[in-house]
Amino acid sequence: MAVLTYREAIRAALAEELARDENVVLLGEEVAQFHGAYKVSEGLLEKFGPDRIVDTPISEAGFIGMGVGASMLGIRPVMELMFWSFYSVAFDQILNNAANVRYMSGGLINCPIVIRGPANGGTNVGATHSHTPENVLANHPGVKVIVPATARDAKGLLKSAIRDNDPCFFLENTILYGEKGEVPDTEELIPLGLADVKRTGTDLTIVTYGRCVLHSLAAAEILEKDHDISVEVVDLRTIRPLDFDTVLASVKKTHRVLIVEEQKPFASVGSQLAYMIQREAFDELDGPIHRLATIDAPAIYSPPVETEQLPNVPRVLKAALAAVA
Amino acid sequence: MSKKAVPSADPKDEAACASAGSPAAAPINALLPNEGKIELHRKMVRIRRFEERSLRAYQSKKIGGFLHLYIGQEAVAVGCCSLMGPNDHVITAYRDHAHAIAVGMDTKALMAELYGKITGCSKGKGGSMHYFAPSLNYWGGHGIVGGQIPLGTGLAYAVKYRKLKGAAMAFMGDGAVNQGAVHEAYNLAALWNLPVVFVVENNGYSMGTSQDRSSAGPGLAQRAEAYGMNWGTCFGHDVYEVRATMDKFLTLAREKNLPSVVEIDTYRYRGHSVADPDKTYRTREEIEDYRRTKDPIQVFQAALLAEGVLTEALAEQINAEAVAEAELAAEFAEASPFPSVDDIQKDVYWEVDNPSQRTSQGRLFFD
Ligand SMILES: Cc1ncc(C[n+]2csc(CCOP(=O)(O)OP(=O)(O)O)c2C)c(N)n1
Ligand SMILES: [Mg+2]
C-alpha cells in the first residue's frame, strides 16, 4: 500500500477517472493553471489539457448550471467548489435543477454530476466560509452525499461518485487535505452507502463521519486507556444513501450511542440518525441517545475559541463519558 | 404602462446583419416546399387549439396548479424549432407547451401530464411547467425564472465538447433577463464561444410588470454587447421573420461557435397564468389591437393564402383536425389513470430505477 495524503488520494481518483472516461471533465475556479485553491488538482492540466481541466470564472450558478445541462447530454462533469460554503449562490442549480430534473421528467433524464470541495470549520475563516451543508443537501431526494474521513475512503468513494449516474455531492475537508493514510495500489471502488467500523468496541457506539472520525478515534483511545471503556467508532462515510444496518448492528452490541458531527444541531444529520435509532432500536438502548455537535452559532473567527466551538477530542471525551454514565 | 417597442436589429457581426429583402424571400423560407410552409401553419394552429382545450379543462377543474398559456406567441416557438437539426437542442421556461408541440411531442401525453396522469410525458410528476422530451432534444420546461439558462449553456457546452455541429436555443422571457444566472450564462457562453442562441421572448410583461418597469437600458438583447456577443431583434408575429432571423444566428452558432442573444417581439393574449385576472396592468384595447393586427396565425394564414400555398378549404380542414386532436388528447387524458402512491418514489434515483445496475448500498429513502 502507498501512503498518500487525503489531497493526493483525491487527485489520484480524479486522474484515474479522467483517464478512464473521456466524458469526465473537471470544472472550477482555479482548478487548472493555479492547480486548485487547495492544490487538489495539481498536475491535471498538464496531463489532460485545457479541454478536460477547465478554469471557470467566479460564477458558481453559471458553471454548475452549465455542468448540469451538459450532464443531461452524457458529459460527466466534476465541479469543484472552492468552498462548499459557496453552494448558496448556486443553490437553485444544485437543488432545483440537479436534484429534481430526473423526477420532473418522469425518469427520462439523469444527471451524472459530482460537485466536490471542502466543507468544514476550524480554519478561522469566519461564518461565510465554514458551512457544513451535508444535512441541507441530503434533505433533497434524488441526490447523494459523501463525506470521507481518510485518504483511502476519499479515493475509493470519489471514483464511485464519478461513475454514479445520480448527482453526487462530495464534501472534503481542508484540515484533512494533508492527513496521510494507506491507499491500496490496485484500483479500489468503495460503494456509496457503506459505512466503515473504524474501531470495534463493546461499551459505546460513536456514530460519526468526516473529520469527527479522527476526533472520535483519538478519544476512544483515551477512553480505553484511562477509563477502561471500549468504544466502537462507526464512520458513515456516506450520508445519503445511509448504511443504517451497520449503525443498528453496533447499537445492538453496545446499547449506548453518541453521535458526533461537525454540524449545527438543529435538524442535523445527527437529528435524523437519532430519530432512526430510537425508532428501530428503542428496546436495545440502555440510555438516551447523546449527541455532540458544533456549538449553535455562526462559525466564530477567534482561533482558540473556534476550536472549542467545533467537536474536538476533549469535547468527545466528555460527551462519551456522559453517554455511558 | 403599454408595451415597449423592441429596438431595431443591430447585430455586431456583419454576416448576421446582412438581411436582404422581405423575410419571406430569405432563402430559409423561399426554399421551403409548400408542405413545409403548411406544416408551420398547422403547428401553430395545433398549439392554439391544444391550449384552448387545456384552458377549458382547467376551468372544469381537471388541471391543478398553474397553466401558463402561450396563445399569441405561437410564431416564436414554431419558427425557432422548425430550424432544428439533429444536434440542435431546446430548453425553455414554464410557458413550455408550444415548444413541446413544435419539437414534435405527442399532444395526448402533454394533455395527460396536465391532468396529472401516469400516461403524461413526465408520468404526472412534472405538470404544465415541466415538459421534457430528451429523444426530441427538448430539455424542458423549467419553473424557476432564468434557472434554465445555465442548463441551456451546458447543452451547448456538451455539443461543442463532442465536436458536433449543433446549437442550443435557450428561451426565456423579458422578465428573466434580470436574473443573475442569465448573466452568468451569457458570460460563460461568450468567454468559451459556446454554440448557444439565447432567445428572449419579449411579450412585454413579466406577470403584471411591463418591461419599462423592470429592465434598465435601451433594449434587452443589446445587453449582449457587454459580453461581446452578437445580438438581434425580430418581429415575432411573422413566422417567416422569426425563421429568417434565427437562421442567421443559429448558423453563426453551429458554424463558428458564436453565441448570441435574439430578442423576439411577441405578445400573449391571456393572463400570465390562468389565475391572472389580467385587469390592472394593461388595457383591453392593447390586447385587441394585437389580436386584430398581429395575430401570428392570421398573419401567416393570410401570407400563405396570398402565395397560393394554402386554400380557405385547407385552412378550415387544418383547423378542424387541430380541434379534433385537442379533443382526443383531452379524452385520452380523462380516461388515463393517475399515478399510484407507489409511483411517488419512482424516478427519483437512476439507481433505484435500474436495480440490476445498482452499485451503492444503504438506504436512499427515509420515512
Ligand atoms: C426565481 C423566480 N422568481 C419568481 C417566479 C414567479 N414568476 C413566474 S413567471 C414570472 C414572470 C416572468 O416573466 P417573463 O420572464 O417575462 O416570462 P413570461 O411569463 O412573460 O413568459 C414570475 C415573476 C419564479 N417562477 N421564479
Ligand atoms: Mg414576459
Side-chain angles (χ1 to χ4, degrees), chain A residues 77-114:
Chain A
V78 178
M79 291 170 280
E80 176 170 308
L81 279 171
M82 194 178 283
F83 288 79
W84 256 104
S85 284
F86 308 152
Y87 85 123
S88 51
V89 302
F91 200 96
D92 180 49
Q93 298 303 325
I94 299 172
L95 293 165
N96 256 324
N97 288 342
N100 290 340
V101 71
R102 177 169 185 80
Y103 198 68
M104 294 194 306
S105 65
L108 294 174
I109 297 175
N110 59 300
C111 179
I113 62 164
V114 174

Side-chain angles (χ1 to χ4, degrees), chain B residues 155-334:
Chain B
L155 295 169
Y157 175 90
V159 166
K160 187 177 178 188
Y161 186 80
R162 294 252 159 84
K163 302 188 164 52
L164 299 169
K165 218 171 217 163
M169 285 184 269
F171 291 84
M172 71 194 100
D174 49 287
V177 300
N178 297 318
Q179 280 285 29
V182 171
H183 288 266
E184 294 194 27
Y186 282 4
N187 182 56
L188 292 176
L191 184 69
W192 291 335
N193 294 320
L194 301 178
V196 54
V197 181
F198 299 106
V199 184
V200 180
E201 296 195 53
N202 186 348
N203 60 13
Y205 301 90
S206 49
M207 289 188 74
T209 305
S210 66
Q211 184 188 335
D212 289 333
R213 296 200 298 123
S214 60
S215 292
L220 305 183
Q222 214 166 327
R223 293 181 181 187
E225 285 181 9
Y227 301 96
M229 267 192 293
N230 290 307
W231 63 278
T233 58
C234 94
F235 178 77
H237 306 271
D238 174 7
V239 71
Y240 276 148
E241 183 164 338
V242 172
R243 281 168 51 86
T245 304
M246 283 298 292
D247 179 52
K248 285 181 274 182
F249 288 98
L250 281 169
T251 303
L252 284 177
R254 293 188 199 110
E255 304 290 332
K256 299 187 184 172
N257 283 317
L258 285 175
S260 56
V261 182
V262 179
E263 179 181 349
I264 303 185
D265 186 25
T266 184
Y267 197 78
R268 68 165 155 76
Y269 301 162
R270 303 281 173 170
H272 166 70
S273 75
V274 173
D276 166 19
D278 197 2
K279 291 220 162 76
T280 52
Y281 59 91
R282 59 180 183 176
T283 63
R284 289 293 107 194
E285 291 71 36
E286 180 181 295
I287 304 171
E288 268 322 301
D289 185 53
Y290 273 97
R291 273 187 198 277
R292 226 183 28 254
T293 63
K294 298 198 185 82
D295 182 77
I297 295 178
Q298 293 309 320
V299 166
F300 197 55
Q301 179 164 325
L304 293 188
L305 287 170
E307 283 181 46
V309 170
L310 198 63
T311 60
E312 294 282 359
L314 182 54
E316 196 37 60
Q317 186 194 329
I318 287 170
N319 186 55
E321 283 168 1
V323 169
E325 178 189 355
E327 196 51 44
L328 211 63
E331 282 167 22
F332 172 80
E334 183 71 46

Side-chain angles (χ1 to χ4, degrees), chain A residues 106-293:
Chain A
L108 294 174
I109 297 175
N110 59 300
C111 179
I113 62 164
V114 174
I115 303 176
R116 50 156 289 274
N120 57 281
T123 55
N124 325 130
V125 287
T128 53
H129 284 56
S130 304
H131 290 284
T132 53
E134 58 269 21
N135 56 332
V136 178
L137 299 170
N139 189 248
H140 294 75
V143 314
K144 295 173 179 172
V145 182
I146 304 121
V147 192
T150 67
R152 179 178 188 163
D153 290 346
K155 184 175 178 205
L157 288 165
L158 182 56
K159 284 170 67 77
S160 293
I162 293 171
R163 297 185 195 189
D164 201 280
N165 284 332
D166 293 308
C168 289
F169 304 146
F170 196 85
L171 282 62
E172 302 162 10
N173 190 308
T174 53
I175 297 173
L176 296 181
Y177 280 139
E179 287 285 321
K180 289 184 176 151
E182 289 196 327
V183 179
D185 299 318
T186 51
E187 178 165 81
E188 179 179 51
L189 288 160
I190 299 175
L192 307 185
L194 181 63
D196 185 36
V197 179
K198 289 272 193 299
R199 177 191 176 100
T200 55
T202 52
D203 301 329
L204 171 71
T205 295
I206 296 182
V207 186
T208 185
Y209 60 91
R211 182 171 166 236
C212 288
V213 171
L214 275 57
H215 299 322
S216 300
L217 288 170
E221 199 67 29
I222 297 167
L223 287 160
E224 180 92 75
K225 248 198 289 173
D226 298 353
H227 301 272
D228 200 25
I229 296 167
S230 164
V231 178
E232 181 145 306
V233 178
V234 177
D235 176 4
L236 294 174
R237 300 199 290 194
T238 306
I239 306 305
R240 189 170 185 154
L242 181 68
D243 178 3
F244 194 63
D245 291 347
T246 297
V247 174
L248 215 51
S250 183
V251 172
K252 286 179 179 168
K253 188 164 85 171
T254 66
H255 310 288
R256 291 189 184 267
V257 186
L258 168 65
I259 298 161
V260 181
E261 57 181 351
E262 191 181 319
Q263 282 256 275
K264 303 291 160 48
F266 194 96
S268 70
V269 170
S271 312
Q272 174 66 18
L273 283 168
Y275 164 75
M276 292 172 76
I277 295 167
Q278 66 80 32
R279 184 74 187 79
E280 298 189 32
F282 190 72
D283 292 334
E284 297 285 346
L285 292 170
D286 286 347
I289 299 162
H290 286 239
R291 174 176 64 176
L292 176 66

